[in-house]
Amino acid sequence: MIEYIKGELTELTPALATIEAAGVGYGLNISLNTYTSVQGKKDVKLYVYEAIREDAHVLFGFASKREREMFLLLITVSGVGANTARMILSGMSVAELCNAISTGNSRLIQSVKGIGKMTAQRIIVDLRDKIVALGIADELPAGGSMQAPVNNAVRDEAVAALTMLGFSPAPTQKVVVAILQEQPTLHVEQVVKLALKQIK
């Protein structure tokens, strides 16, 4: 079992981080939250979950143990696989997700692509007690705004990020442009999070 990988961040996209450690390059699937945490860093440490399947050996990387713990809880819920769990953790922070679970806010969880009403309710029922028991739910969502100049680069990077997460480019661009028209000072990460809640 791999607990974590620490080394030089050689490549980074919103969905994948490549870390070189002892001459080996490890490709780790990441959430948008982890992407934001490691962006701009040279040396990083990502906690690992190994998904061993018949046709593939896939690594998922997390910037914090807390995010990995939440990921592991999510994949215990019927109907939630590893990629769906990553999508949920790209759409909201661990604190926001904990808040949604603890308050029974299934609508917020349903705002993530691919999550229906039944799955959202299962997540709440199955995990409400577990997040408290594991101490994951000891944070409340933190508000905060970042400022960035509006330009085509923000739009293009947001569309590229969403495309890598599996969305079609054309409708994605329409949503991203609409978000930037309403809130022109958003960062790429904020645009992507808003878009994830709007694209169906």
Side-chain angles (χ1 to χ4, degrees):
M1 175 182 168
I2 300 173
E3 172 64 15
Y4 62 82
I5 296 174
K6 184 177 181 181
E8 183 182 351
L9 184 64
T10 57
E11 289 182 44
L12 180 66
T13 71
L16 188 75
T18 302
I19 300 176
E20 183 177 333
V24 179
Y26 296 92
L28 297 104
N29 290 283
I30 59 172
S31 71
L32 192 63
N33 286 318
T34 290
Y35 170 74
T36 304
S37 297
V38 302
Q39 198 174 24
K41 295 182 180 178
K42 184 182 178 185
D43 296 309
V44 298
K45 175 182 179 180
L46 292 184
Y47 294 93
V48 175
Y49 168 73
E50 298 175 81
I52 300 172
R53 307 169 187 155
E54 286 184 13
D55 59 341
H57 185 173
V58 184
L59 299 177
F60 290 83
F62 307 92
S64 68
K65 280 189 174 181
R66 177 159 303 194
E67 187 184 14
R68 182 175 64 178
E69 286 170 356
M70 179 55 77
F71 176 89
L72 292 173
L73 286 178
L74 285 168
I75 62 176
T76 65
V77 178
S78 176
V80 179
N83 283 323
T84 302
R86 178 174 68 158
M87 188 75 74
I88 293 169
L89 290 170
S90 290
M92 60 186 83
S93 69
V94 173
E96 288 167 339
L97 180 55
C98 283
N99 192 51
I101 292 170
S102 62
T103 58
N105 189 346
S106 62
R107 279 192 179 181
L108 183 59
I109 299 172
Q110 278 178 254
S111 69
V112 177
K113 185 183 187 312
I115 300 296
K117 184 178 181 180
M118 293 296 291
T119 302
Q121 289 174 345
R122 269 200 302 269
I123 289 171
I124 291 167
V125 171
D126 290 1
L127 302 187
R128 183 177 276 161
D129 292 336
K130 292 179 182 177
I131 61 172
V132 174
L134 285 173
I136 299 174
D138 61 0
E139 289 181 12
L140 288 175
S145 61
M146 295 182 287
Q147 301 236 328
V150 177
N151 52 40
N152 289 337
V154 173
R155 180 200 65 200
D156 293 345
E157 196 172 335
V159 171
L162 289 158
T163 302
M164 290 199 69
L165 287 170
F167 298 97
S168 301
T172 296
Q173 178 147 323
K174 191 181 290 185
V175 171
V176 168
V177 168
I179 290 169
L180 285 171
Q181 284 173 343
E182 285 182 21
Q183 303 180 70
T185 59
L186 293 180
H187 262 192
V188 173
E189 292 84 357
Q190 293 172 307
V191 173
V192 172
K193 284 188 178 183
L194 285 172
L196 282 169
K197 294 174 182 176
Q198 294 181 29
I199 301 171
K200 292 291 179 186

